[in-house]
Amino acid sequence: MEPIVAVLVGVLMAASVYLMLSRNLVRFVFGLVLISNAANLLIFAGGGLTRAAPPLIATGESLPDPGVANALPQALILTAIVISFGLLAFALVLAFRAYQELETVDTDAMRVAEPEESAAEPASKDRPL
Amino acid sequence: MSWLLVLPIILPMIAAVIGFILRGNLAAQRIVSVTAALGLLGLSIALMAAVWQEGILAAQMGDWPAPFGITLVADHLSAVMVLITAIIGLATVVYAFGDVGDKAVAYGFHPLLHALLCGVCGAFLTGDLFNLYVWFEVMLIASFALLVLGGRRAQLDGAVKYVALNLIATILFLGGIGLLYGLTGTLNMADLHIRLQEVENQGLVTVVAVMFIVAFGIKSAVFPLFFWLPASYHTPKVAVSAIFSGLLTKVGVYALIRCFTLIFTGDVGYTHEILLWVAGLTMVTGVLGAAAQNELRRILSFHIVSQIGYMILGLALYTPLGIVGAVFYLVHHIIVKANLFFVSGVVNRIGGSFELKRLGDLYRYHPLIAVLFFIPAFSLAGFPPLSGFWAKFVLVQASIEAEGYVIAAVALAVGLLTIYSMTKIWLNAFWKARPAEAGPPPPPLTGAQRWFLLGPIAVLAAMTVTIGLFVEPFYQLAERSAEELLDPRPYVAAVLGDEGLARMTAVSLASGETDVLEVQE
């Protein structure tokens, strides 16, 4: 089971890098969706995949029986999913608002904050002594 | 005692919640904000005093014993970082009274600011890697919202780059955490320090270490990964740029220092060599980028990048003096950098522009502001007797002691180039005559605005001078932090108890050669 998940993480990661290298902001956001899922699967595989019983503790006991699943990676992933959901929602709204204001989704064409002319002025003439 | 560790996180959180509830009532929001900022300052002073007297404090959340639950820890470095966060937070709140308009306050400027402070304090105080990730996210979400507050075109443009790069950094960090958990089965930093020495596949540990370098490197804007910072930091409101420039990248630097002195010390020759190269290149590219700019806030943004290099340099040297330098630089830089952004906002108010071409004559009509710019600017460049001189002095001395003559020369040369940029601002904005095409200057500040805008600037400038003139206690503080960072035994003992310390010694003895004992000598 672990090799399959490992390969899946690799494939998702590769696909997301491909998407994120695009200049299109929408593709970038899709890449972000994929890579956050890849990271979650990575934690899942890293925590060890076992076909085990749910980690329930019987009444009156303080320890679960041996052979139960590790609940911690799942708790971590749950937290990560919730957080990345919030961030993705923000990223989508931001991409939409940027498209509305700047009228493009091409990140190379977004040069309002860094206008080209500021780079054109040479500062080499007046070096310190 | 554990309350002292929890409250600096809880108080800003409560302030944020109350602020959001009082959305419509601007006056009440402002009162809550300044009260909470004052409260945070008081708490952080108490925390600092407690750590200074009693050493490292640790608290287990929900009484779960250490490697299982979440631990909050405050050593000298954490405590001083929380203190400086509180100072900058209060300065920003006061400055915002004069700078941030009613509309932005109605959109929730103050609650977002406190959410940011909550995340930053959490990141400084946590002793658990996954918890660190969560605080990073709290901080990020708040910073995203602050960055686009107002929704001007340039802000959205800058935010796209900021959000994109920071999300990638976060996911890399999360991936690294996943692999680390797979290797050791724990995420408690003190526990990781012990268990990573037992891991057989040390190559994989180094891979994770490099992932962390990249992730925190993006956050702290080091050499090849910094371009999101000058793209975005000059777009939001001045109060927002100031607190970002002071705190956010420094959380990345703090995380680097914490991880590469506590967790990844197995292959110092490899990881810290990378950090050394990164430090040198960051210093040089940052300062050259600044030299090419003609907009006040963009010059300052590039200088953040350049200055991060100095802090990484101290960490990369990994000698006691180097770490002292890094910690000292970190504290000095937060004060100075936030202050420079505050001043840039005032310059924009009284000069009508951030463009150097369109400014002039400020010294003639506003000598006080000129002096208030002069102090942080020349502290940043490293003039004695200001705080920056000592910070640079310690780092250069540490590099020479470690026989890094090239990096010492680079650090000095970058200092010179920093002076060049600062003189450029001084000549253009303050000294030369105001160009005719810039038009008449805007009306001067009103009475209340003067107090709100210049008050924090004056206090922070006074702190810079104080650190410069009475360097001894601050140096001692940095020295204590460095001692703790280089010898993790008290940290482990505080988090895991004596049992953990015994385990640590056993592991160190078993592995034969030990970095802990080596560092001691």
Side-chain angles (χ1 to χ4, degrees), chain A residues 23-116:
Chain A
R23 280 162 32 174
N24 186 323
L25 195 56
V26 182
R27 278 174 180 244
F28 180 87
V29 174
F30 283 135
L32 219 51
V33 177
L34 282 189
I35 201 172
S36 62
N37 284 311
N40 290 339
L41 278 175
L42 185 66
I43 300 178
F44 198 45
L49 299 175
T50 43
R51 203 178 266 280
L56 299 174
I57 303 172
T59 336
E61 302 278 322
S62 63
L63 282 174
D65 296 329
V68 298
N70 185 354
L72 192 69
Q74 303 182 17
L76 298 183
I77 294 169
L78 183 59
T79 316
I81 287 174
V82 172
I83 290 176
S84 65
F85 176 73
L87 290 178
L88 281 171
F90 182 86
L92 275 174
V93 173
L94 179 69
F96 177 63
R97 282 286 296 145
Y99 171 67
Q100 275 187 327
E101 287 287 330
L102 308 168
E103 289 166 356
T104 176
V105 285
D106 181 352
T107 41
D108 277 6
M110 293 185 179
R111 303 223 44 135
V112 184
E114 293 174 291
E116 307 234 20

Side-chain angles (χ1 to χ4, degrees), chain A residues 25 28 32 35 42-43 46 70 72-73 76 79-80 83 87 90 94 98 101 110-114 118 121 123 126 128, chain B residues 130 137 141 144 153-154 156-157 159-161 163-164 167 171 175 178 181-182 187 231 234-235 291 294 298 357 420:
Chain A
L25 195 56
F28 180 87
L32 219 51
I35 201 172
L42 185 66
I43 300 178
N70 185 354
L72 192 69
L76 298 183
T79 316
I83 290 176
L87 290 178
F90 182 86
L94 179 69
E101 287 287 330
M110 293 185 179
R111 303 223 44 135
V112 184
E114 293 174 291
S118 71
E121 279 179 352
D126 40 13
Chain B
F130 193 80
E137 299 297 310
I141 280 277
F144 290 169
R153 293 181 67 204
L156 289 168
D157 184 359
V160 166
K161 285 145 196 169
V163 169
L167 285 182
I171 287 164
Y181 183 75
L187 288 173
H234 62 290
T235 56
N294 283 305
R298 298 203 59 188
K357 269 183 293 186
Y420 162 65

Side-chain angles (χ1 to χ4, degrees), chain B residues 269-400:
Chain B
Y270 183 73
T271 48
H272 289 59
E273 176 79 25
I274 297 179
L275 287 175
L276 193 63
W277 277 95
V278 162
L281 291 168
T282 308
M283 282 192 266
V284 173
T285 42
V287 86
L288 291 181
Q293 300 300 325
N294 283 305
E295 206 254 34
L296 200 47
R297 284 203 286 176
R298 298 203 59 188
I299 297 179
L300 296 178
S301 302
F302 271 104
H303 274 301
I304 304 177
V305 176
S306 155
Q307 310 284 315
I308 296 287
Y310 283 95
M311 300 164 210
I312 309 284
L313 165 64
L315 172 64
L317 291 172
Y318 201 56
T319 60
L321 197 62
I323 305 277
V324 170
V327 173
F328 197 100
Y329 210 106
L330 198 56
V331 172
H332 135 78
H333 177 81
I334 292 176
I335 300 172
V336 165
K337 197 61 185 197
N339 203 6
L340 277 173
F341 270 93
F342 285 147
V343 175
S344 77
V346 175
V347 167
N348 180 40
R349 276 296 181 84
I350 58 180
S353 177
F354 286 112
E355 292 288 338
L356 290 181
K357 269 183 293 186
R358 306 174 67 81
L359 288 167
D361 266 350
L362 292 181
Y363 177 73
R364 190 189 301 173
Y365 299 113
H366 307 278
L368 173 66
I369 291 159
V371 171
L372 288 178
F373 168 77
F374 190 84
I375 293 171
F378 281 73
S379 176
L380 189 77
F383 267 63
L386 299 164
S387 58
F389 168 73
W390 298 106
K392 281 203 172 65
F393 178 75
V394 173
L395 279 174
V396 170
Q397 201 191 356
S399 335
I400 291 173

